[in-house]
Amino acid sequence: MHRKHPLPQGLDHLYYIIPILFFLSILSFAQAQLYQPYLTVGMATTFADGKALYVLGGINYQRLRSSQTFKIDLSVSWTTSSPVYKELPWPTPCYRCPIAMSSDGRRLLLFAYQTGYVFDIQANMWTQFLSYNDNLGYVAVTDPVTEKVFIPCLADNSVGQATGMMIMDSKSYTYTIDNTTPASHSWNGTAITWNAVLRKVLFANEYGMYSYTPEEGWKNFARPPGLRADYGYCMVSSSSGSKVVLFGGFSKTLKATVSDIFILDTASLSWNNGTLEGPVRRDAACAMSGDYFIAWGGDTGNTDVKVVPPPEQHLTIVYNVKTDKWTSDYAAPAVNTKSATPSSQGASRPTDTSRPTDTSPEGDTSDASESIGSLIGAFAGAFAIVLLILGGIVGYRAYKKRSKTSSSDVATNNEYVGDDSRRETVQVGSFGTQYEEQHPHACLSEIQGAHGIGSGAAQA
């Protein structure tokens, strides 16, 4: 009768270590890929070029307010069928809440129902920093030069009209109120961006398009010729300031969501029509990163009553501004230096040519940390597989060697054949693990009241 043999002495622990290492590496990789956001509309949204598009809250297709918070990683390349998502902690369920990014790209400033929240991107943590009594509009944007955050449409809900704008210092969190407004300053369907070339806030609503600086105040700004949407579009600038993209929206005349995309060349101040045929979308989260315009979520419906989800494979859509074509591939831009500091809605701080260029990383370093973590996980997985193979080889050779030794013993010591007193019994323990995967669902609550607050993207 053959006798069972363990691994050679000193290698017995491989029975346990190898499966554990292999299991943990697979689990780490799987957890990074499992998160998939569900569709929402009317989110708070902002972005940093080449880093991330942040999406907070909104409502789902049942018009329930959501606390879903996540980012799309713009530092790596992906396809629209498999964007790189990462779930983030959430401060409060919110719908149409204004949000902006600090000029250094390290913090998100969210304004939700008379409370201000700040998100430390690197620490991955929200804290409350402000209480205020004003009813704010839907959108916000940061001027990275002055480090001021502009929140238009300080609202008088009794008449449904905006009466001014909050201007906040993103460092001290102190704010003032500018009581001037452009003509027909409505807080319905607004979109906003900061442009680094024009050095102005660009603001659009269903009545017109405007520019703003504290020195000049509100000025009329030319809308794209042929613009069909009245509201629900989003508007973003490239980090260089050379382009402004206005996309989608809802047309009251057509009673339909449209796919129109317009690109403003800020050097000539001329609008150009993009590809006519494309995905329809309104109230989406939008970003510019390198040569690409990215939009996530939003509504495709033809009424103002029901949210109609877009096809699931097209939750994220990408437009190549350079080639003027919709595409399924997003290519991350090359790593930049400090010549363009990330800030809300793609704004950038102009390069200070009086100083030597600093190539050290700045702003959100979490993406780099995550990339390093992914590499470590990949190496751990590969190392575990190598150990598993080596352990198998060593174990097999040891088994064969002992089998030969045992055969020799039996042949030269016939007196022990059949003698139970010399028979070895090796009890091999079993190793098992159980893993229960949990999929936490975002907390949803019904929308209360008519007061809506918005985001960096246009809202209906």
Side-chain angles (χ1 to χ4, degrees):
M1 179 178 292
H2 292 288
R3 293 181 291 176
K4 298 180 180 179
H5 296 279
L7 289 174
Q9 186 175 5
L11 294 178
D12 303 63
H13 60 281
L14 290 178
Y15 276 128
Y16 305 96
I17 293 177
I18 291 173
I20 291 173
L21 287 174
F22 184 73
F23 174 75
L24 290 177
S25 64
I26 295 298
L27 178 60
S28 176
F29 177 78
Q31 285 179 328
Q33 302 301 317
L34 280 177
Y35 179 72
Q36 291 291 326
Y38 55 85
L39 172 71
T40 51
V41 173
M43 302 76 67
T45 176
T46 188
F47 72 95
D49 187 341
K51 292 184 176 294
L53 167 60
Y54 296 92
V55 183
L56 295 83
I59 56 173
N60 67 0
Y61 71 97
Q62 295 175 317
R63 299 194 70 83
L64 297 177
R65 194 168 61 186
S66 169
S67 61
Q68 175 175 259
T69 303
F70 67 96
K71 73 175 183 179
I72 299 177
D73 192 346
L74 302 180
S75 68
V76 297
S77 301
W78 39 260
T79 65
T80 52
S81 61
S82 56
V84 180
Y85 299 114
K86 182 187 178 183
E87 188 175 15
L88 299 174
W90 53 277
T92 181
C94 73
Y95 172 53
R96 291 178 170 173
C97 301
I99 187 172
M101 184 176 290
S102 62
S103 59
D104 60 9
R106 298 178 185 274
R107 292 165 292 132
L108 305 182
L109 305 176
L110 176 70
F111 303 85
Y113 316 119
Q114 285 75 50
T115 303
Y117 302 89
V118 60
F119 180 64
D120 186 314
I121 294 174
Q122 192 166 5
N124 200 41
M125 181 176 63
W126 289 96
T127 54
Q128 185 175 329
F129 75 93
L130 179 71
S131 294
Y132 55 92
N133 298 321
D134 304 288
N135 293 322
L136 301 180
Y138 299 159
V139 293
V141 73
T142 302
D143 173 354
V145 178
T146 64
E147 304 190 33
K148 303 293 186 183
V149 178
F150 299 92
I151 312 175
C153 302
L154 198 69
D156 181 351
N157 284 334
S158 63
V159 296
Q161 287 289 325
T163 58
M165 177 167 59
M166 176 187 283
I167 303 175
M168 170 175 285
D169 187 297
S170 62
K171 285 188 172 181
S172 66
Y173 299 144
T174 58
Y175 68 90
T176 58
I177 302 298
D178 183 340
N179 290 315
T180 63
T181 61
S184 303
H185 193 162
S186 168
W187 47 294
N188 184 29
T190 55
I192 197 169
T193 188
W194 163 264
N195 186 265
V197 170
L198 303 177
R199 299 203 177 194
K200 295 179 179 180
V201 173
L202 298 182
F203 175 81
N205 61 19
E206 63 179 312
Y207 298 109
M209 191 166 178
Y210 313 92
S211 67
Y212 176 86
T213 65
E215 297 76 22
E216 297 179 355
W218 293 101
K219 301 288 184 180
N220 289 325
F221 195 88
R223 302 179 82 185
L227 177 65
R228 298 183 295 173
D230 297 287
Y231 53 82
Y233 36 69
C234 64
M235 182 170 59
V236 292
S237 292
S238 61
S239 61
S240 66
S242 63
K243 305 291 183 184
V244 176
V245 176
L246 189 148
F247 166 67
F250 184 82
S251 168
K252 293 191 292 185
T253 302
L254 299 175
K255 296 183 178 179
T257 300
V258 298
S259 62
D260 300 349
I261 185 165
F262 300 92
I263 297 100
L264 173 68
D265 179 78
T266 54
S268 62
L269 292 181
S270 59
W271 288 97
N272 300 306
N273 290 349
T275 301
L276 294 177
E277 297 299 326
V280 300
R281 203 63 61 90
R282 80 168 189 257
D283 294 334
C286 301
M288 277 286 289
S289 184
D291 294 324
Y292 296 89
F293 166 80
I294 303 101
W296 180 90
D299 193 0
T300 61
N302 291 334
T303 72
D304 267 341
V305 177
K306 184 179 179 181
V307 176
V308 180
E312 187 168 346
Q313 67 270 28
H314 296 306
L315 275 177
T316 304
I317 52 179
V318 174
Y319 188 82
N320 189 323
V321 176
K322 192 173 183 178
T323 63
D324 271 336
K325 292 181 179 179
W326 290 100
T327 178
S328 59
D329 299 309
Y330 165 73
V335 176
N336 294 322
T337 65
K338 276 190 178 179
S339 59
T341 301
S343 74
S344 179
Q345 297 307 304
S348 62
R349 185 193 304 274
T351 304
D352 184 354
T353 56
S354 63
R355 305 177 190 175
T357 302
D358 184 353
T359 58
S360 61
E362 179 175 339
D364 181 5
T365 59
S366 60
D367 290 322
S369 300
E370 290 159 19
S371 299
I372 293 172
S374 300
L375 288 174
I376 291 174
F379 280 121
F383 182 67
I385 293 173
V386 171
L387 280 181
L388 185 62
I389 294 172
L390 289 177
I393 293 172
V394 171
Y396 177 74
R397 288 182 175 178
Y399 174 78
K400 292 293 289 182
K401 182 177 181 180
R402 290 200 177 195
S403 295
K404 289 180 180 179
T405 303
S406 298
S407 298
S408 176
D409 288 344
V410 171
T412 58
N413 297 284
N414 290 327
E415 67 271 22
Y416 296 122
V417 174
D419 183 357
D420 289 340
S421 66
R422 294 297 303 270
R423 181 179 298 160
E424 287 186 22
T425 301
V426 179
Q427 183 176 1
V428 180
S430 62
F431 173 74
T433 60
Q434 183 177 10
Y435 172 71
E436 180 178 57
E437 181 180 337
Q438 298 179 350
H439 297 278
H441 296 283
C443 174
L444 301 178
S445 61
E446 293 187 359
I447 302 174
Q448 298 178 358
H451 170 234
I453 311 179
S455 67
Q459 310 297 341

